[in-house]
Amino acid sequence: MLGALAVILGALSVEGRDVAKSSWHFGLDWMILDLLLMVAIFVPLELFFPKNNGQTKFHEEWRTDLTYFVISHLFIQFFGIITQKPAVLFFGWMGLDKLHSWVQGLPFIVALFLAFFSTDLFQYWAHRFFHTRVALWRFHSIHHSTQNMDWLAGSRTHFIDIFFTRAMTFIPLYVLGFSSTVFNVYIIFIAIHAVLIHANTRINFGPLKYIFTTPQYHHWHHCEDPKYYGHNFASIFPFIDMMFGTYYLPGKEWPAGTGVHEASYPKGFVKQSIYPFTKSPFDTDLNMEERSDR
């Protein structure tokens, strides 16, 4: 109702501003609007179609995950600017105008698929790199540390992880120069889909689960059992995992548990943000046997 009213009052005529060309600000409006939208979509979904029936909405670490959500949204302009810098630094000198014109002349569906595929391919390798380098895994493992997978769990991401992954994902968007319509549809899809794949819902989406990643697919990526590590790195398309031999989706089966098997983590946003700089619980072995307290 609020969205419909906003459109009637002229929201479609509002022109967006480049975050790099506007004055510095906190993304309070973005945080509130996105929080309301995600609550409206995913709280009913998890209430009526839960995967883990025994998991309460207010589990012991929901405040920590909500803090991650709030911080990442309040600093959306900052992250938006700094994650563009590597692409501009390495590719800004190239004459890309003709390529941009060609890409923007593609049919909308073709251009949208190209945006999805190119960004997911870059994200796949950035994600996989974080899993296979101990110095980086200590940061990314913060994201995997929760045992309570729900719509807020995806927000638990260390800022080093956010910068590197988003910077890599922005490279194909910058180089190919998609139209604002394609770019905006991509952003909206990613914003909702990234929350969905972490959600505590048993819906398996039928045949669509072989086309797009789903909660079942991504929960296997978060599986706490070490023998299932190293699978399902793709964010959007499962076939990218198929291409590189990391695909795993055993019928209708779900992992018995999620979390990190190797280490204990401090509680709270601040402590978790500092922790990877001071200690790595993994050393040079990603398959240590001691069980996490979490």
Side-chain angles (χ1 to χ4, degrees), residues 188-202:
I188 293 171
F189 177 88
I190 289 297
I192 297 176
H193 183 258
V195 177
L196 170 65
I197 60 178
H198 292 89
N200 177 32
T201 177
R202 66 176 181 269

Side-chain angles (χ1 to χ4, degrees), residues 67-111:
T67 301
Y68 276 99
F69 181 95
V70 170
I71 295 297
S72 65
H73 283 70
L74 288 179
F75 288 91
I76 186 67
Q77 182 189 26
F78 172 74
F79 285 118
I81 291 175
I82 66 170
T83 54
Q84 294 178 23
K85 295 300 183 183
V88 175
L89 177 64
F90 291 108
F91 302 97
W93 58 272
M94 300 173 65
L96 299 171
D97 291 344
K98 290 184 178 180
L99 177 60
H100 291 178
S101 297
W102 180 79
V103 170
Q104 292 175 18
L106 293 172
F108 173 77
I109 295 299
V110 176

Side-chain angles (χ1 to χ4, degrees), residues 85-145:
K85 295 300 183 183
V88 175
L89 177 64
F90 291 108
F91 302 97
W93 58 272
M94 300 173 65
L96 299 171
D97 291 344
K98 290 184 178 180
L99 177 60
H100 291 178
S101 297
W102 180 79
V103 170
Q104 292 175 18
L106 293 172
F108 173 77
I109 295 299
V110 176
L112 187 62
F113 172 78
L114 181 60
F116 282 1
F117 174 73
S118 60
T119 55
D120 203 21
L121 187 63
F122 273 69
Q123 183 275 339
Y124 171 93
W125 283 108
H127 190 182
R128 189 166 175 177
F129 201 67
F130 265 89
H131 274 260
T132 54
R133 299 296 183 274
V134 175
L136 295 176
W137 170 239
R138 70 175 68 179
F139 295 101
H140 184 60
S141 64
I142 298 293
H143 176 66
H144 281 259
S145 64

Side-chain angles (χ1 to χ4, degrees), residues 55-267:
Q55 180 175 300
T56 173
K57 290 288 171 287
F58 301 105
H59 55 78
E60 62 177 350
E61 292 192 279
W62 74 271
R63 292 180 183 85
T64 296
D65 293 339
L66 181 60
T67 301
Y68 276 99
F69 181 95
V70 170
I71 295 297
S72 65
H73 283 70
L74 288 179
F75 288 91
I76 186 67
Q77 182 189 26
F78 172 74
F79 285 118
I81 291 175
I82 66 170
T83 54
Q84 294 178 23
K85 295 300 183 183
V88 175
L89 177 64
F90 291 108
F91 302 97
W93 58 272
M94 300 173 65
L96 299 171
D97 291 344
K98 290 184 178 180
L99 177 60
H100 291 178
S101 297
W102 180 79
V103 170
Q104 292 175 18
L106 293 172
F108 173 77
I109 295 299
V110 176
L112 187 62
F113 172 78
L114 181 60
F116 282 1
F117 174 73
S118 60
T119 55
D120 203 21
L121 187 63
F122 273 69
Q123 183 275 339
Y124 171 93
W125 283 108
H127 190 182
R128 189 166 175 177
F129 201 67
F130 265 89
H131 274 260
T132 54
R133 299 296 183 274
V134 175
L136 295 176
W137 170 239
R138 70 175 68 179
F139 295 101
H140 184 60
S141 64
I142 298 293
H143 176 66
H144 281 259
S145 64
T146 182
Q147 293 179 328
N148 302 285
M149 292 290 284
D150 60 13
W151 69 275
L152 268 177
S155 298
R156 186 186 297 200
T157 307
H158 196 277
F159 64 87
I160 295 294
D161 193 353
I162 292 176
F163 167 74
F164 187 87
T165 304
R166 290 187 185 177
M168 287 295 293
T169 303
F170 186 75
I171 289 175
L173 294 175
Y174 178 81
V175 171
L176 295 174
F178 296 97
S179 68
S180 59
T181 303
V182 171
F183 181 81
N184 290 335
V185 170
Y186 165 81
I187 292 297
I188 293 171
F189 177 88
I190 289 297
I192 297 176
H193 183 258
V195 177
L196 170 65
I197 60 178
H198 292 89
N200 177 32
T201 177
R202 66 176 181 269
I203 299 175
N204 66 8
F205 296 91
L208 283 177
K209 70 179 183 179
Y210 301 110
I211 301 174
F212 296 104
T213 57
T214 63
Q216 180 198 13
Y217 191 84
H218 197 65
H219 281 221
W220 276 109
H221 176 70
H222 280 261
C223 181
E224 69 171 347
D225 191 335
K227 68 182 180 181
Y228 297 111
Y229 288 176
H231 295 98
N232 301 357
F233 295 107
S235 176
I236 303 174
F237 294 128
F239 74 80
I240 292 181
D241 278 293
M242 295 179 186
M243 289 168 55
F244 300 107
T246 52
Y247 177 87
Y248 185 76
L249 191 63
K252 296 182 179 181
E253 185 180 352
W254 289 68
T258 57
V260 178
H261 190 74
E262 301 90 355
S264 176
Y265 291 84
K267 305 290 185 180

